[in-house]
Each structure stands twice: as C-alpha cells, then as structure tokens.
Amino acid sequence: MRALQLSLLLVALAGTGCATNPATRLRLAEKENQRLTQELQATSLALQSVNAYTEELRSPGQAGRSFNMYFTPASLEQLASQVLPMKMAARSFHQQLQGDVIVERISDIRFGPSNTFTCTALLRGENIRYTGKVPKAYQDDVRRFQAGVAAGVVASMTVELSLVDTSLLARAKATRTRLKSNSNSTAEGMLRDQMNDRVLRVPFGFELTIQGGNAVPRRMVLTANHLVVTYAP
C-alpha cells in the first residue's frame, strides 16, 4: 500500500512540474511570464478607457450645460443598417476590376481599448470581371476568384474612432478576408491588402451635429459597453 501511495505521489509531482528538469521548468516559467505580461498589457489598456470614461463623467459639470449620448454596439449596427447596403465601383478595390462591390451588412461590433472596436463586414461582388491579361494556366483561378467574390466576402475589421470638429472619424483596417466560396488564402490575402491600400486608406466621417439644436459634440470616449459623446453649447 505504501509503495502504491508513493507511486501516486511521484505521478502527481511530475504532473505539476516538480519532477521535470531545470530546462523544462525554465521554459514553462518563461511561457507563463509571457502570458501574464500580455494579460497585464490588456488590463492596462482597459484601465486607460475606464480612466478616460471617469474623467468624461466629471468634466461635463465643469463645462456648464452639457449632456451625454450613449451608443451600444447594437445601436451602432442599427445606425449602419440605415445606410447599407452601399454600392462601390469594383475598380476602387483594384484598377483592373469591373463591376460593383456591395457592402451589405456590418455586424459583431465589439468595443475594445484605446477607442477601437472590431466588427465583421459582409460584402459581395456584382458583375465582377478582371480586365487584365491572364496567362492561360491561371484563367481558371481568376474565374474561381470572381465567382467567390460574387458569392460573398466576410471581412474582419479593426476600427479606430476619433472626434474631429463635429465629425466622428472611423479609420478601418481589414485584418482578415474570407471568401464564402472558393476559399483561397493567396487571393484572400491580396483582397485584404487591396482593401487596406485603396478603399480604407481614407477614414470615413460621420456628422454628429444634432439637427435643430445648438449643442455640438465636444468629447468622445469608447468604453467596454458604450460609445459616449458629450454635447455642449
């Protein structure tokens, strides 16, 4: 019985790393340190947003008459649905593309630190055609790409918000694109790069002035749950 208990104890010690050699323990410690460092950085960024939000709540009273408007991820998706679908010329993505690209929907908005949020954009092509010369060996690949864009593209985006004068500027960057049909990593990577280099090179502006009122946006901060815009005369 004592021998069995000793064997079980040794197994338990090995499972917790006590029976591993020093090199292995060092690698495990380094890996754990990296994980903790990443968590600390994420917490620090989150605290920056919290501190900015706290200061935002304190400052309106010092500025006289003012009020805040709060936007949730769901309300931003609802606002986006009022201007979508939006049609763009395919040549804005690539100079040798003909047809149109339609942005159909923005979804999965998630607020993050430093006034940024992530979202998913659904696009599709309409009458997409590549006008450049294609070697015969690659013509089938081009046809598959055109069919894939027509079937739909799912783009993962990171968006940074800022307030300039009375407009909310959104600087977007595509972090990943995926063809819903005929998926191809090379083609998807090229599409992502073209989106960033051409379509998303200039930020999108949204006017925040309230019709019929004299209050204008003075400050903006993004928290974990709300986009907060402070209005004052």
Side-chain angles (χ1 to χ4, degrees):
M1 179 63 70
R2 292 180 61 84
L4 177 59
Q5 291 175 338
L6 180 59
S7 297
L8 292 175
L9 177 61
L10 289 174
V11 171
L13 290 174
T16 59
C18 294
T20 57
N21 60 57
T24 301
R25 291 200 298 271
L26 179 60
R27 287 195 298 270
L28 291 174
E30 290 176 343
K31 186 175 181 180
E32 179 66 9
N33 183 61
Q34 291 176 355
R35 184 185 68 81
L36 293 174
T37 299
Q38 291 174 352
E39 290 184 357
L40 180 61
Q41 291 173 344
T43 302
S44 178
L45 288 173
L47 285 174
Q48 290 178 19
S49 294
V50 171
N51 291 336
Y53 185 41
T54 302
E55 184 61 29
E56 185 63 35
L57 292 177
R58 292 172 179 167
S59 60
Q62 302 171 3
R65 293 177 300 164
S66 63
F67 61 92
N68 290 330
M69 292 191 67
Y70 299 84
F71 301 89
T72 64
S75 63
L76 290 186
E77 291 179 19
Q78 178 62 31
L79 289 173
S81 69
Q82 297 176 12
V83 297
L84 298 176
M86 179 176 62
K87 181 180 290 188
M88 296 181 291
R91 65 176 176 271
S92 61
F93 287 78
H94 193 284
Q95 60 184 1
Q96 291 180 305
L97 283 180
Q98 286 186 347
D100 297 299
V101 173
I102 301 171
V103 183
E104 293 192 322
R105 187 171 69 252
I106 300 293
S107 62
D108 302 324
I109 293 179
R110 296 185 180 183
F111 294 157
S114 302
N115 288 339
T116 64
F117 69 85
T118 59
C119 66
T120 300
L122 180 61
L123 310 87
R124 66 176 176 85
E126 193 173 77
N127 300 321
I128 295 292
R129 188 169 69 88
Y130 181 70
T131 60
K133 293 184 178 180
V134 181
K136 188 174 182 179
Y138 297 99
Q139 289 179 359
D140 187 56
D141 291 336
V142 171
R143 284 192 289 266
R144 287 175 58 83
F145 173 73
Q146 292 174 171
V149 173
V153 179
V154 180
S156 300
M157 316 281 287
T158 298
V159 183
E160 180 182 359
L161 298 178
S162 61
L163 184 64
V164 178
D165 295 329
T166 61
S167 295
L168 183 68
L169 292 189
R171 298 179 182 274
K173 180 179 180 179
T175 57
R176 182 173 181 263
T177 55
R178 177 176 60 84
L179 296 173
K180 297 176 70 174
S181 177
N182 299 333
S183 178
N184 178 287
S185 59
T186 301
E188 291 165 342
M190 292 176 61
L191 179 59
R192 179 202 63 220
D193 293 342
Q194 288 294 318
M195 288 179 64
N196 290 329
D197 293 343
R198 297 173 64 88
V199 181
L200 303 177
R201 183 170 52 87
V202 178
F204 297 92
F206 302 90
E207 181 60 43
L208 293 178
T209 303
I210 299 176
Q211 295 284 340
N214 62 351
V216 295
R218 300 296 188 185
R219 287 174 294 274
M220 179 277 300
V221 64
L222 197 64
T223 74
N225 300 308
H226 295 93
L227 166 63
V228 186
V229 180
T230 300
Y231 286 82

